[in-house]
Amino acid sequence: MRRYLNGSKDDILYEAIDLASHEDVGAWQLLRNAVEEAAASVPLRREGAPPQEIDAFAIPVFVHSQGGLVEAEGFQDDEAYDALLASLRTGKLESDKAKIVIVRHAYDAGEVARITYSQLHTMAKEAAAALTEKKMTEAPTLQRSIAGWTGPTFGPDDEAVELRFIVGFALKRADDPFYAVPEDEEAADAYFAERLARYRQWTEDAAALVARCLAPRERELQLNFLYQDLFFGARQQGMAEQAMLALMATLGEALAAHGGAASAIVAPADVDGEMVLRVQLMDGVKVLAKGDRPFELGSDLEIEVDDVRDALATLGITDVAVAERFDPYGRAIDPRPLA
């Protein structure tokens, strides 16, 4: 894998993952996870120095504002940027001994979606050089990743909700005990629970700093953070949550236009060879609206349906049925009430 990552052979990696998806779900999950981790976590070895590694992480955040964010206004506050870097250590998200850099750009969904395995791998190596070399170093791959926002534009009075990713790199010793996950399962669970608690506290303590990095002080922003993860894990959770919000917005508009009670049917559906989880909003037998969200291979259908049911409850829809699937004509096969 590392040979292909170092050689920018993305076509081989993506083809292997695609082939595995048609053969064995477990193999597909194992291979994709391994490639993602190898791309985002790069081992570094230098003669006479202890082994190090650099990890590419991302923090997905939904930004609520009036009028939307302006790309050119981001990361102009040097004081807030420096304080944000320091907060990752003081908040115990990274080791005191780690060297950290955050890209001075808030990536939108389109930009992070275009970053490939080998591209991120090279970005991590460029970040490592910047953190270890005494002279300024070039980072052309990282610069190319900043392609510019492509999302919707908003009027000055529009209420905007935008997904942005704070992308950073942490350089640390490979044997730093701060990152050592206990082998005992119970102790490992406690380790991650403590880490989650620290992260939640950090989102409260650092929210104002993140807001100042995204927009001038006078802008009022409301931030909703998702969990920090290695780059591809964070990208996946951000995209999934964005798809859920888009789905609920579509159904909410239809429900408001309907002006009455409605029910819902949830089931997988095939769209051009890709599996999605579809929700149909119903008034009796009449379809009021429908919407899809991605349904990843190997996902637990019951958990996915429960997530959708919880979201529907926020719209006041509690009459929910689950079906085996939707056929090519949009008909639900064997719908039954969801307990």
Side-chain angles (χ1 to χ4, degrees), residues 60-78:
V61 56
F62 283 92
V63 185
H64 303 246
S65 68
Q66 182 175 326
L69 296 171
V70 178
E71 184 178 352
E73 292 179 348
F75 288 90
Q76 299 302 305
D77 189 328
D78 292 338

Side-chain angles (χ1 to χ4, degrees), residues 259-279:
S263 62
I265 301 175
V266 184
D270 187 304
V271 178
D272 298 327
E274 296 291 333
M275 192 61 65
V276 299
L277 191 64
R278 175 167 296 168
V279 182

Side-chain angles (χ1 to χ4, degrees), residues 208-284:
L209 296 175
V210 175
R212 285 169 55 188
C213 288
L214 296 174
R217 285 176 183 258
E218 58 270 17
R219 293 289 308 278
E220 291 188 10
L221 305 181
Q222 177 187 340
L223 307 181
N224 293 103
F225 292 88
L226 301 182
Y227 192 61
Q228 177 192 6
D229 201 350
L230 289 178
F231 178 85
F232 291 106
R235 183 174 75 177
Q236 180 181 340
Q237 65 166 319
M239 297 297 199
E241 187 66 20
Q242 184 181 51
M244 177 69 88
L245 292 175
L247 173 61
M248 291 303 109
T250 298
L251 300 180
E253 290 176 5
L255 188 62
H258 174 57
S263 62
I265 301 175
V266 184
D270 187 304
V271 178
D272 298 327
E274 296 291 333
M275 192 61 65
V276 299
L277 191 64
R278 175 167 296 168
V279 182
Q280 277 190 351
L281 193 63
M282 309 292 295
D283 178 16

Side-chain angles (χ1 to χ4, degrees), residues 13 17-18 23 39 42 67 128 156 175 180 196 207 222-223 267 295 317 333:
L13 295 169
I17 292 170
D18 180 63
E23 296 293 335
V42 182
D175 60 355
L196 176 59
Q222 177 187 340
L223 307 181
F295 182 68
I317 302 172
I333 305 300

